Amino acid sequence: MLILSFLLHLFGATFLLLFAVRMVRTGIERAFGASFRRVLTADQTPLRLIPLGTVLAIVLQSSAAVTLLAAGFAANGAISFLPAVAIVLGGDLGSSLLIQILSLRVDWLVPVFLTVGGVLFLKTERRSLKQAGRIILGIAFILIALRFLREAIQPIQDSGLLPAMSVWLERDPLTAFFLGAALAFVMHSSVAAVLMVVTVVSLGALPFSVGAAIVLGANLGSALIPVWLGRDMRPAARRVILANVVLRGTAALLTLAALTYLPISLPPSGLEPGQSLVSLHILFNLIVVLGLPIAPLLEPILKAVAPDAAPDILAPRHTSALDQSALNSPTRSLASLRREVLRMADILVILLTPVMDLYRSYDVESVKRLRKEDDAINTALDAIRRYSASMPHDTMSKPQMREMRALVDYAIALEAAGDIVVKRLVPLAAERAKSGVHFSVPGREELTRIHEIVLANLTTATNVLVSDDIESARLLIEQKAQMGRLERDSRKAHLKRLTAGYTDSFASSDIHLETAYSLKELNSWIVTVAHPILYREGQLLDSRLAPNGDESKVF
């Protein structure tokens, strides 16, 4: 009965910890995620990118998230191999520093965090305050989960099971190492895994040597998480991920061998075991960062392991996902239709991403490629119309018909968004280059911010298209309102600069205002994916007019 109670409390504390870490990461991504691409792809040397990756991992609460971000930008050619690896190694260091922060005993702050976070998340309407509340609540839940974990471990300490396991693992550090790797991989969070081990070691339930082996294994396990999550990414992305596995895995095994076979006295006197374990974790990741000069030597080897595919293999987005053989089945044909709309959304991401780069440096060849992507979107829409007309309407239920119409409507919206890029934004970028005008620094920052949010909303819209998630759908509608405010604020700020006599603002006035408005309109098309979901759930009004209005007051 003791074992069952222990496992129940252990699993409960573990899943609360995982949920809390994810909650904090979600809040930060929704609040600041739109700026990550600009920050990561800025023209910086690898040595400057290491602290950037460190800060980003602390912010995102996940080194795996930083790895996937850097790998994704490497796949798109936004950054090269060595800078991407520098960001990843900095992220690993940031993850270890985060554990130091979260391992502090500040349980007295839990009621404060719950109160402040609850008020912000539940009682405010502003998106930034709501996400701040989500982050604060997540931190409170992390502290609560760690307290539950300590309470779960204490009763089992007095039994014979945990001491027996400790003796076995102490005699077999390699098993403890692979146990840590499996723990981090299964939990999909090295932060949660290491926090759990540190808590157990702090209570004296496991000796320091076993905890050290498990933590070193967790470092390998956290490097393997992006391998699994990024298995379908392009070869350039997988090479960055594999470089992290090679560097961290080799360093972890060498460190384990040193702790096992060299006469090293650990933990050091003056530090309690849990804090010593955190210090070891930080020191290990700092040593791995110093291995960055080895990364260029790995690139040729990794190119042999993950070679670049031929150009025709790298462009599956131009192959239709519509399955003509599925037309006799409503379920299969709807799935095929959804995949094709997702393909259109992926092409729109590629079409929209380099727009602000064109405003900085107009390139004719890049524009030609963008026009080809837009042609692919137009072709896909034509195919979707024909496919939906050929679907077995007689055998489809009403919900299936509604789903089909919603997918076709969103395909039309994506095509309209693509037209805004090619027919309005690209000509505006060409006009700016031809006239030689420049945006003011605040004006460029405003347009870049709007563009980043539109890209982030497109990613959220793609997720909604896959999952029908109501919360994400509501977020999109909230973002539409925020986009309207951003466009208005940018227009007001621009007019103030004109009044103040900014020369650049005068020269670029028309282009600035039209660009901001076009991006807002493009965003309006993107968020329409949320309309049928919210309408179906009764969370979208038919009219924005105030109810029971007095007509006499209108005239």
Side-chain angles (χ1 to χ4, degrees):
M1 191 64 185
L2 177 63
I3 298 298
L4 181 61
S5 176
F6 164 70
L7 291 176
L8 185 61
H9 284 79
L10 178 64
F11 287 146
T14 301
F15 283 114
L16 178 59
L17 182 60
L18 287 172
F19 170 77
V21 170
R22 180 179 177 182
M23 187 174 184
V24 174
R25 184 166 66 245
T26 300
I28 292 172
E29 286 175 345
R30 290 180 177 178
F32 309 108
S35 303
F36 290 157
R37 182 184 185 275
R38 173 167 52 88
V39 173
L40 285 179
T41 57
D43 185 17
Q44 299 186 56
T45 62
L47 289 179
R48 292 179 179 176
L49 288 170
I50 291 173
L52 176 61
T54 301
V55 173
L56 203 57
I58 294 174
V59 169
L60 289 177
Q61 308 260 307
S62 171
S63 59
V66 175
T67 301
L68 291 172
L69 276 173
F73 294 139
N76 294 331
I79 53 176
S80 58
F81 175 80
L82 186 59
V85 174
I87 293 171
V88 171
L89 296 183
D92 296 333
L93 178 60
S95 179
S96 63
L97 293 174
L98 175 65
I99 290 168
Q100 174 67 76
I101 297 170
L102 295 177
S103 61
L104 299 175
R105 296 295 294 270
V106 286
D107 291 352
W108 59 274
L109 284 174
V110 169
V112 178
F113 286 166
L114 288 175
T115 302
V116 175
V119 169
L120 291 176
F121 186 70
L122 297 175
K123 299 298 182 181
T124 60
E125 295 300 326
R126 285 186 57 185
R127 179 176 175 273
S128 57
L129 292 178
K130 188 177 288 290
Q131 298 309 322
R134 182 191 295 272
I135 295 167
I136 295 171
L137 281 175
I139 295 173
F141 291 155
I142 289 175
L143 298 176
I144 293 172
L146 293 176
R147 180 194 296 173
F148 283 173
L149 188 61
R150 288 191 293 268
E151 294 174 355
I153 295 295
Q154 284 174 345
I156 205 72
Q157 279 183 274
D158 300 329
S159 70
L161 177 63
L162 202 55
M165 289 180 60
S166 300
V167 172
W168 171 52
L169 292 174
E170 197 168 13
R171 292 175 180 173
D172 190 357
L174 196 60
T175 298
F177 177 86
F178 287 115
L179 176 64
L183 186 65
F185 185 82
V186 170
M187 295 177 73
H188 267 43
S189 172
S190 62
V191 173
V194 175
L195 276 174
M196 177 184 296
V197 177
V198 168
T199 301
V200 174
V201 171
S202 298
L203 293 172
L206 283 178
F208 178 85
S209 58
V210 174
I214 295 175
V215 166
L216 290 172
N219 278 277
L220 173 61
S222 67
L224 293 175
I225 295 170
V227 174
W228 172 254
L229 296 177
R231 61 191 182 278
D232 295 327
M233 298 179 77
R234 294 184 180 182
R238 286 187 277 119
R239 288 197 290 269
V240 173
I241 295 171
L242 291 174
N244 185 40
V245 173
V246 172
L247 291 173
R248 293 189 81 187
T250 303
L253 287 170
L254 291 175
T255 305
L256 179 67
L259 294 178
T260 303
Y261 297 109
L262 295 181
I264 301 174
S265 177
L266 289 174
S269 58
L271 287 178
E272 61 99 8
Q275 180 57 52
S276 299
L277 199 57
V278 175
S279 301
L280 173 66
H281 184 47
I282 295 173
L283 180 61
F284 167 79
N285 281 281
L286 185 59
I287 292 172
V288 176
V289 168
L290 297 178
L292 181 62
I294 303 174
L297 303 177
L298 295 175
E299 189 173 11
I301 301 172
L302 294 174
K303 278 188 175 180
V305 175
D308 290 317
D312 58 332
I313 298 177
L314 281 178
R317 63 180 181 274
H318 293 306
T319 302
S320 175
L322 296 174
D323 184 2
Q324 299 298 325
S325 65
L327 281 172
N328 60 341
S329 168
T331 303
R332 290 175 56 206
S333 58
L334 278 172
S336 179
L337 191 63
R338 187 177 293 272
R339 288 197 303 271
E340 183 70 354
V341 177
L342 280 170
R343 187 177 72 89
M344 288 182 66
D346 290 339
I347 298 175
L348 182 60
V349 171
I350 296 168
L351 190 63
L352 179 61
T353 298
V355 163
M356 293 310 298
D357 294 333
L358 288 176
Y359 275 80
R360 281 187 288 270
S361 176
Y362 190 81
D363 179 55
V364 176
E365 292 301 318
S366 297
V367 171
K368 288 181 180 178
R369 288 194 294 270
L370 292 184
R371 293 191 188 281
K372 288 182 179 179
E373 301 293 349
D374 185 55
D375 290 340
I377 290 181
N378 296 336
T379 302
L381 177 59
D382 291 339
I384 284 174
R385 284 170 172 159
R386 291 193 297 270
Y387 191 85
S388 61
S390 303
M391 289 174 66
H393 296 181
D394 294 340
T395 59
M396 293 173 65
S397 63
K398 288 184 178 181
Q400 288 174 331
M401 289 293 293
R402 284 196 298 269
E403 181 180 351
M404 183 197 71
R405 286 193 293 267
L407 289 171
V408 174
D409 286 344
Y410 194 56
I412 295 171
L414 293 175
E415 193 271 341
D419 282 347
I420 290 176
V421 174
V422 173
K423 297 178 180 179
R424 286 163 59 175
L425 293 174
V426 170
L428 285 170
E431 181 183 344
R432 189 215 63 79
K434 183 178 180 180
S435 61
V437 302
H438 297 280
F439 294 118
S440 64
V441 174
R444 174 172 293 282
E445 290 178 352
E446 289 163 9
L447 293 179
T448 301
R449 172 66 173 162
I450 294 173
H451 176 253
E452 289 169 349
I453 292 177
V454 174
L455 272 175
N457 288 346
L458 182 52
T459 301
T460 304
T462 305
N463 295 335
V464 170
L465 192 60
V466 173
S467 64
D468 276 1
D469 179 53
I470 297 175
E471 183 181 355
S472 298
R474 288 186 62 88
L475 176 65
L476 278 176
I477 300 302
E478 292 171 3
Q479 282 286 59
K480 181 179 179 181
Q482 184 196 21
M483 180 60 66
R485 288 192 296 270
L486 279 175
E487 192 268 339
R488 288 194 300 273
D489 291 344
S490 177
R491 185 170 66 249
K492 291 177 182 177
H494 178 76
L495 294 176
K496 287 181 180 179
R497 289 192 293 271
L498 292 179
T499 305
Y502 277 65
T503 305
D504 289 341
S505 296
F506 272 109
S508 63
S509 182
D510 290 342
I511 299 176
H512 178 102
L513 295 174
E514 288 183 37
T515 299
Y517 182 80
S518 298
L519 287 171
K520 185 187 77 168
E521 186 176 347
L522 193 154
N523 184 77
S524 298
W525 286 113
I526 289 172
V527 303
T528 56
V529 69
H531 291 170
I533 298 171
L534 296 179
Y535 187 80
R536 182 187 66 212
E537 299 296 327
Q539 299 189 26
L540 193 66
L541 299 177
D542 289 327
S543 173
R544 296 178 63 184
L545 292 173
N548 301 321
D550 187 352
E551 292 185 4
S552 63
K553 295 181 180 180
V554 177
F555 298 103

